[in-house]
Amino acid sequence: MIKYVAFLRGINVGGKKLIKMAELVRIFSSLKLLNVRTYIVSGNVLFETAESDPQVLTRKIEQGLHEALGYEVGVMLRSISELETIVKLNPFKQWNADADVKKYVTFLAEKHSSKIKVPALSPKKDWEIIRLSPREIFVVAHPVQGRYGESMNLIEKEFGKSVTTRNWNTVIKVLALAGDK
């Protein structure tokens, strides 16, 4: 069995695409996925399956969600071993835990072909892309006049809309939860 996490795009954000986590567990279980668990309401679903082809599995989950919910939900799928590699990479280690920054990982559905130069600082200097990997973007948001920058508009323009972003602490907790089984 292979352990995976599905990071779902755009559910329970701004009062749109509302779904209870128990319903997500039911939908994933109905797809014959095993040991289904969720972490917080932003759509982080851990499960196990014998399916080793992530593209086949992603299509199956997206179709199952569409049939159950009546709307499209993008799925950025990572195996737990891929998530372990991301966490070990930790491009945020230069920012200590007390730093006044927010750290994010944007997961891409496909490998990107962006030519963006890293580090890439936003025009307002409120966020920067500090590292790119083939299917992840690592972003640090800085407070400017008490507010943190929002990078999603540029990320979607540069990398497309088949993305979803999680706080670095969420990624670490999802990985820890995967090891609790």
Side-chain angles (χ1 to χ4, degrees), residues 8-175:
L8 307 183
R9 176 182 165 86
I11 67 162
N12 297 333
V13 177
K16 296 180 179 149
K17 294 186 179 180
L18 300 176
I19 182 166
K20 294 187 183 304
M21 295 303 99
E23 179 66 4
L24 273 181
V25 169
R26 186 197 66 71
I27 293 168
F28 274 67
S29 296
S30 75
L31 298 172
K32 309 294 186 237
L33 304 173
L34 306 173
N35 299 316
V36 180
R37 298 180 287 166
T38 62
Y39 176 72
I40 64 176
V41 299
S42 58
N44 309 295
V45 185
L46 296 99
F47 61 92
E48 296 177 30
T49 181
E51 178 59 65
S52 61
D53 186 330
Q55 292 176 334
V56 168
L57 189 54
T58 298
R59 282 192 300 272
K60 176 181 177 177
I61 295 168
E62 287 178 340
Q63 182 178 350
L65 288 167
H66 185 262
E67 289 172 6
L69 302 172
Y71 52 82
E72 301 288 328
V73 176
V75 174
M76 285 13 90
L77 190 68
R78 297 296 185 273
S79 69
I80 295 306
S81 63
E82 288 174 313
L83 208 57
E84 287 171 339
T85 300
I86 291 166
V87 170
K88 283 179 190 171
L89 173 68
N90 188 7
F92 302 110
K93 46 188 147 197
Q94 74 187 62
W95 285 275
N96 65 37
D98 297 332
D100 195 16
V101 298
K102 293 185 179 186
K103 302 171 270 191
Y104 299 100
V105 180
T106 298
F107 295 96
L108 309 172
E110 303 289 332
K111 290 182 178 180
H112 69 84
S113 59
S114 174
K115 303 288 188 230
I116 197 166
K117 300 278 189 217
V118 175
L121 188 61
S122 71
K124 293 181 183 177
K125 297 179 175 36
D126 55 353
W127 60 267
E128 64 184 306
I129 296 173
I130 62 165
R131 184 171 183 143
L132 292 174
S133 66
R135 295 190 310 143
E136 290 83 30
I137 304 164
F138 299 91
V139 175
V140 175
H142 305 279
V144 174
Q145 297 178 342
R147 298 181 58 112
Y148 286 89
E150 172 56 55
S151 61
M152 282 308 292
N153 288 337
L154 175 84
I155 286 174
E156 288 179 354
K157 183 178 178 185
E158 181 71 23
F159 299 94
K161 292 195 180 235
S162 294
V163 302
T164 193
T165 297
R166 296 296 184 274
N167 182 287
W168 181 244
N169 291 331
T170 297
V171 173
I172 291 170
K173 288 177 183 173
V174 165
L175 183 58

